[in-house]
Amino acid sequence: MWSEERKAWEQEMEIRRSKIREYLKQQISYKPGKVNKWGKLPLMAYHDVRDIEWALDVYTDGNWCSEMRPEVVNGVLICVCRVTVPAPPGSPFPFLFHEDIGMNDNKTKNAETQAMTAKGTGSDSLKRAAFGVDASIRISYEFPRLYMQCKKDGNDWEEPTTKEIEAFYLGELRKDARLRATYPEAEKTTTSTGTTRAATTTVTVAAPAVV
């Protein structure tokens, strides 16, 4: 049986999980893979690492930390990340940790590209480790993989622009009755990247206190 303290904690966490899920639903994006021989471009749902850090702040009141250990194995850059969060009341340990890896086999000699690759590998490992903290943070796994048909350009396939990709995946998400309210068609807003995106319902979340 849970103690009264644990019950109160669970009730509070359900409120936080709901806020996290609603926010991350609004922030979902899709990144393209490689066009296949039939001209289909795979699109995979993902979140920026800043969104995941925001979710961790809300989940823990800012009381979390991460540790990264970069390694190179057979020419492949690997980053092991550990995310530590407070344990629920009644747990035998004060903290719990979740660990995962990110990797990238980009072997370019360009210093700027190598730096960006290292940064992306670290961000990827943090996101993967954070997914283990709570299901509300890995909501991107609930979004479907999409396939966008590319136009023929001579003997090759013409890859769509970022704006075209965004318009496509938002249109696909609106077909899902569960997501239609999050991605309405009525009003349009312009993002910081200059692309046009459907306006979404605003979720107001108090800034988490940092302990």
Side-chain angles (χ1 to χ4, degrees), residues 17 56 59-60 83-85 96-98 128-138:
R17 290 181 182 113
L56 287 170
Y59 189 84
T60 67
V83 171
T84 304
V85 299
L96 300 175
F97 70 85
H98 304 269
R128 290 175 179 273
F131 289 164
V133 172
D134 191 79
S136 62
I137 300 176
R138 58 177 181 270

Side-chain angles (χ1 to χ4, degrees), residues 78 143 201:
I78 294 176
F143 283 74
T201 304

Side-chain angles (χ1 to χ4, degrees), residues 25-29 166 169-170 173-174 183-184 187-191 195-200:
K25 278 172 62 178
Q26 292 189 33
Q27 302 304 315
I28 199 71
S29 295
E166 188 172 33
Y169 74 70
L170 286 174
L173 294 179
R174 292 189 197 108
Y183 308 100
E187 188 178 349
K188 303 290 184 180
T189 59
T190 302
T191 68
T195 59
T196 302
R197 176 167 187 164
T200 58

Side-chain angles (χ1 to χ4, degrees), residues 135-155:
S136 62
I137 300 176
R138 58 177 181 270
I139 189 176
S140 60
Y141 289 174
E142 300 177 16
F143 283 74
R145 174 175 289 201
L146 303 175
Y147 291 89
M148 184 177 182
Q149 181 62 55
C150 298
K151 298 176 182 178
K152 198 72 173 177
D153 182 19
N155 294 325

Side-chain angles (χ1 to χ4, degrees), residues 3-211:
S3 65
E4 291 301 315
E5 183 184 12
R6 178 60 182 269
K7 290 178 180 178
W9 182 87
E10 289 290 344
Q11 291 174 352
E12 170 62 23
M13 295 313 295
E14 280 305 308
I15 295 173
R16 297 188 186 201
R17 290 181 182 113
S18 178
K19 290 179 178 179
I20 290 170
R21 290 178 64 86
E22 287 304 311
Y23 176 81
L24 291 182
K25 278 172 62 178
Q26 292 189 33
Q27 302 304 315
I28 199 71
S29 295
Y30 273 80
K31 60 181 178 181
K34 293 184 178 180
V35 180
N36 64 24
K37 62 181 180 181
W38 298 285
K40 295 284 188 178
L41 177 68
L43 303 174
M44 292 147 286
Y46 83 104
H47 282 106
D48 185 87
V49 69
R50 293 180 182 85
D51 295 326
I52 302 303
E53 291 173 334
W54 179 93
L56 287 170
D57 281 343
V58 172
Y59 189 84
T60 67
D61 275 339
N63 189 21
W64 66 277
C65 65
S66 63
E67 176 188 355
M68 296 187 184
R69 304 191 309 274
E71 301 176 16
V72 177
V73 180
N74 296 327
V76 177
L77 175 63
I78 294 176
C79 185
V80 182
C81 180
R82 172 181 291 188
V83 171
T84 304
V85 299
S91 299
F93 304 103
F95 293 95
L96 300 175
F97 70 85
H98 304 269
E99 201 169 78
D100 213 319
I101 66 171
M103 64 178 65
N104 196 304
D105 60 357
N106 190 329
K107 299 179 181 180
T108 178
K109 295 182 179 181
N110 181 283
E112 183 177 353
T113 303
Q114 285 182 336
M116 292 302 295
T117 296
K119 182 179 179 181
T121 303
S123 296
D124 188 47
S125 67
L126 191 151
K127 288 192 288 184
R128 290 175 179 273
F131 289 164
V133 172
D134 191 79
S136 62
I137 300 176
R138 58 177 181 270
I139 189 176
S140 60
Y141 289 174
E142 300 177 16
F143 283 74
R145 174 175 289 201
L146 303 175
Y147 291 89
M148 184 177 182
Q149 181 62 55
C150 298
K151 298 176 182 178
K152 198 72 173 177
D153 182 19
N155 294 325
D156 299 318
W157 296 101
E158 180 182 347
E159 293 197 22
T161 64
T162 300
K163 185 175 181 180
E164 290 171 334
I165 290 174
E166 188 172 33
F168 173 79
Y169 74 70
L170 286 174
E172 291 298 303
L173 294 179
R174 292 189 197 108
K175 296 177 183 178
D176 189 326
R178 299 168 300 174
L179 301 172
R180 199 167 295 139
T182 305
Y183 308 100
E185 294 187 76
E187 188 178 349
K188 303 290 184 180
T189 59
T190 302
T191 68
S192 59
T193 58
T195 59
T196 302
R197 176 167 187 164
T200 58
T201 304
T202 301
V203 176
T204 302
V205 181
V210 178
V211 178

